[in-house]
Amino acid sequence: MKFIRFKKNDYIGYGLWEEDKVKAIEGDIFGHYVVTDHFYNIEEIEFLTPCIPSKIICVGLNYKSHAEEMKMPLPEEPIIFLKPPSSVLAHNSVIIMPEMSEQVDYEAELGLVIGKRGKNIRPEEAYDYILGATCFNDVTARDLQKKDGQWTRAKSFDTFAPFGPCIATGVNYDNLGIELVLNGETKQKSNTSDFIFSVGRLISFISSIMELMPGDVIATGTPSGVGKLYKGDIVEVKIQDVGILKNYVR
Ligand code: MG
């Protein structure tokens, strides 16, 4: 199933996306809900972020090929950081380039949307806590990341956390093709089977530090091939069985 959150005139709600139609959902996709017979054509709705996270937890180095490319030793435990909820951006919306940065990079990532509250989750139970997968772009002001020595400013500008277009349930998180396409050209291409830390290990590790809440998003790291964005670009994150997250740069 593919859940979206959308706007149509004054109406904002969740929907179930089936080909070119969206069936309206009554209730909460993280709790009790009913899929209604009322539908919209996909062209007539505006995509919103598919959920509203209380926090976005991002993982640093998590692809073996990327570690090799950077000539970095494999980390012994995940490196994590946060992006604020105010940095979220929906599918089809515009990434705004901040004036204080000269180098803003894209990073295609698999996003995991947490489905229920959890603390100290064991790796083998982790999948029970995931509602589904989404496409995530960990937009980063690389120059400021290096300059500051810590990552809060570089990762936190408004519009620096595009994710969507949907939350896809029932996908095989540990074996998904992932690709970043910039102005029609493939720049990153990998598979989540190249993860250093599995989905189970990530959720277990993060939930041993902070309680996970429904709608929280975990961005699971980016493969090799990161690069710069320029004003006027069209950037797409494509994930197998999930969809395409498309954003414009201005
Ligand atoms: Mg990243």
Side-chain angles (χ1 to χ4, degrees), residues 58-61 66 81 83 106-109 136-140 142 145 151 155 219-222 226:
C58 302
V59 180
L61 200 58
H66 188 43
F81 61 93
K83 278 168 117 75
Y106 53 77
E107 294 187 359
E109 307 199 4
F136 192 96
N137 192 346
D138 176 17
V139 181
T140 303
R142 194 71 66 202
Q145 184 183 25
W151 303 359
K155 298 284 191 179
T220 54
T222 200
V226 300

Side-chain angles (χ1 to χ4, degrees), residues 23 25 44 48 52-53 78 84 93 108 110 125 131 133 145 205 213 227 233:
K23 286 183 180 165
I25 285 176
E44 62 176 347
L48 304 175
I52 304 172
S93 296
L110 168 68
E125 326 171 290
L131 177 63
Q145 184 183 25
F205 179 76
M213 307 299 287
D233 282 346

Side-chain angles (χ1 to χ4, degrees), residues 29-46:
I29 60 167
F30 297 97
H32 185 71
Y33 68 87
V34 178
V35 180
T36 71
D37 291 332
H38 188 73
F39 69 84
Y40 301 92
N41 289 318
I42 196 74
E43 292 86 18
E44 62 176 347
I45 60 105
E46 178 188 339

Side-chain angles (χ1 to χ4, degrees), residues 81-83 98 100-101 103-105 138-157 160:
F81 61 93
L82 295 169
K83 278 168 117 75
M100 63 174 79
S101 172
Q103 187 187 354
V104 174
D105 285 0
D138 176 17
V139 181
T140 303
R142 194 71 66 202
D143 51 350
L144 302 181
Q145 184 183 25
K146 289 173 186 159
K147 184 179 178 187
D148 290 353
Q150 53 87 6
W151 303 359
T152 304
R153 177 165 61 151
K155 298 284 191 179
S156 299
F157 287 95
F160 271 27

Side-chain angles (χ1 to χ4, degrees), residues 17-238:
W17 185 7
E18 292 174 346
E19 292 172 13
D20 57 350
K21 286 188 175 58
V22 178
K23 286 183 180 165
I25 285 176
E26 276 175 10
D28 179 5
I29 60 167
F30 297 97
H32 185 71
Y33 68 87
V34 178
V35 180
T36 71
D37 291 332
H38 188 73
F39 69 84
Y40 301 92
N41 289 318
I42 196 74
E43 292 86 18
E44 62 176 347
I45 60 105
E46 178 188 339
F47 281 87
L48 304 175
T49 59
C51 58
I52 304 172
S54 81
K55 56 188 171 295
I56 302 162
I57 309 104
C58 302
V59 180
L61 200 58
N62 198 31
Y63 282 80
K64 294 184 194 110
S65 60
H66 188 43
E68 284 160 16
E69 175 191 53
M70 307 290 277
K71 298 198 166 45
M72 288 174 79
L74 297 188
E76 286 173 13
E77 52 184 19
I79 297 156
I80 61 168
F81 61 93
L82 295 169
K83 278 168 117 75
S86 48
S87 62
V88 300
L89 186 71
H91 174 58
N92 284 336
S93 296
V94 179
I95 298 166
I96 305 291
M97 301 288 263
E99 277 182 20
M100 63 174 79
S101 172
E102 312 260 284
Q103 187 187 354
V104 174
D105 285 0
Y106 53 77
E107 294 187 359
E109 307 199 4
L110 168 68
L112 303 171
V113 178
I114 297 300
K116 63 179 182 182
R117 197 167 175 162
K119 174 84 182 158
N120 294 322
I121 300 164
R122 291 196 304 269
E124 61 273 20
E125 326 171 290
Y127 298 92
D128 298 340
Y129 288 82
I130 306 171
L131 177 63
T134 191
C135 306
F136 192 96
N137 192 346
D138 176 17
V139 181
T140 303
R142 194 71 66 202
D143 51 350
L144 302 181
Q145 184 183 25
K146 289 173 186 159
K147 184 179 178 187
D148 290 353
Q150 53 87 6
W151 303 359
T152 304
R153 177 165 61 151
K155 298 284 191 179
S156 299
F157 287 95
D158 294 346
T159 74
F160 271 27
F163 72 102
C166 64
I167 302 167
T169 66
V171 301
N172 183 2
Y173 307 106
D174 296 300
N175 188 4
L176 293 174
I178 180 166
E179 197 174 341
L180 186 128
V181 177
L182 185 67
N183 304 320
E185 193 182 326
T186 298
K187 298 288 190 180
Q188 294 181 281
K189 195 173 172 61
S190 190
N191 189 291
T192 60
S193 60
D194 192 42
F195 274 0
I196 298 168
F197 302 105
S198 66
V199 164
R201 177 84 197 283
L202 290 176
I203 287 182
S204 176
F205 179 76
I206 294 165
S207 73
S208 73
I209 302 158
M210 57 188 97
E211 186 169 32
L212 294 172
M213 307 299 287
D216 282 355
V217 175
I218 299 175
T220 54
T222 200
S224 59
V226 300
K228 235 174 139 174
L229 290 171
Y230 293 89
K231 288 182 183 179
D233 282 346
I234 296 173
V235 62
E236 294 169 295
V237 177
K238 297 187 178 184

